[in-house]
Amino acid sequence: MTMATMTSQHNIYPLFFTLEHVNNGYILTARQVTGGVSDAGYCKEVVSEDKINARIGQLLHVEALSKEIPVVFHVEAIGEGTYQHDPEDPADGLMEAKLAYFHFSSRCVQEGAVLLLHFTDSKMIEVYGTEAERVAKANNLPLLRPGGIPLLQFPDTKEGKVSITSLFDKPTLVEVTSQKITDWYKSHLVQMEKKNSKTSNT
């Protein structure tokens, strides 16, 4: 197995794709697998009604899962193209790691609470996804979209925390650092099982 192949396999999660239902089936926009040679771009494809379930199954890469190691899939459907890729502002590896950590940590937040990541190194507090978009629209706040992912930031100051308390019901802050998230993300990447392949001489 080459290093390029291993890199591409380790980058299949988190998985982002958009789906649009049209007359002749679905338009699916998903990240390409480049083999690690270049940055992964996004491509569109038309999938017929009878093949869409199988195509989504392929995107999940279930064959990549290691035996007896459970993996949590966080599925979030948003009807306004929230995760549509913007080629002018691509998501970087840290942003994907942040989002994965955010979704993973959200499982432990009590019902009705809103999770925010408190970065003690950069002195910023961040919230992602639909909640970030809802609060930004309702209060005319600047919303960032790195790679199409809604991101709302607040400074780690007394004023910033007052704003958070006034904007969110039951805000729950989780203290992290960029390095901690990067290390967590690397340790939770799905490890691909090496397949035994026989090479035949021709």
Side-chain angles (χ1 to χ4, degrees), residues 132-145:
E133 192 164 34
R134 181 190 68 78
V135 170
K137 286 183 177 179
N139 298 277
N140 197 26
L141 298 175
L143 184 71
L144 303 175
R145 288 183 181 274

Side-chain angles (χ1 to χ4, degrees), residues 145-185:
R145 288 183 181 274
I149 300 167
L151 164 63
L152 197 55
Q153 291 182 321
F154 300 89
D156 182 13
T157 61
K158 180 179 179 180
E159 293 75 14
K161 291 178 179 177
V162 169
S163 296
I164 289 170
T165 303
S166 65
L167 293 170
F168 297 95
D169 294 329
K170 299 181 182 178
T172 301
L173 273 62
V174 175
E175 288 193 355
V176 293
T177 64
S178 297
Q179 187 61 52
K180 177 181 177 180
I181 284 184
T182 300
D183 292 343
W184 174 89
Y185 185 54

Side-chain angles (χ1 to χ4, degrees), residues 34-177:
T34 63
V37 177
S38 60
D39 292 337
Y42 282 68
C43 65
K44 293 180 180 288
E45 61 179 292
V46 176
V47 185
S48 61
E49 294 270 3
D50 60 328
K51 291 185 172 61
I52 188 61
N53 290 333
R55 183 67 186 98
I56 291 175
Q58 290 174 349
L59 287 174
L60 293 178
H61 297 284
V62 292
E63 76 282 355
L65 306 183
S66 298
K67 293 179 180 177
E68 299 180 359
I69 299 179
V71 172
V72 176
F73 286 90
H74 179 99
V75 181
E76 189 173 1
I78 302 173
E80 296 183 357
T82 301
Y83 292 131
Q84 182 65 39
H85 177 70
D86 181 357
E88 299 299 322
D89 188 13
D92 57 19
L94 178 58
M95 188 62 209
E96 290 192 350
K98 286 181 179 180
L99 192 63
Y101 187 86
F102 179 79
H103 283 161
F104 185 80
S105 302
S106 295
R107 302 179 308 156
C108 303
V109 175
Q110 63 180 153
E111 187 176 355
V114 176
L115 175 72
L116 298 98
L117 297 186
H118 179 190
F119 288 88
T120 57
D121 51 349
S122 61
K123 304 300 181 184
M124 296 298 293
I125 301 172
E126 299 181 350
V127 61
Y128 315 96
T130 52
E131 192 64 21
E133 192 164 34
R134 181 190 68 78
V135 170
K137 286 183 177 179
N139 298 277
N140 197 26
L141 298 175
L143 184 71
L144 303 175
R145 288 183 181 274
I149 300 167
L151 164 63
L152 197 55
Q153 291 182 321
F154 300 89
D156 182 13
T157 61
K158 180 179 179 180
E159 293 75 14
K161 291 178 179 177
V162 169
S163 296
I164 289 170
T165 303
S166 65
L167 293 170
F168 297 95
D169 294 329
K170 299 181 182 178
T172 301
L173 273 62
V174 175
E175 288 193 355
V176 293
T177 64

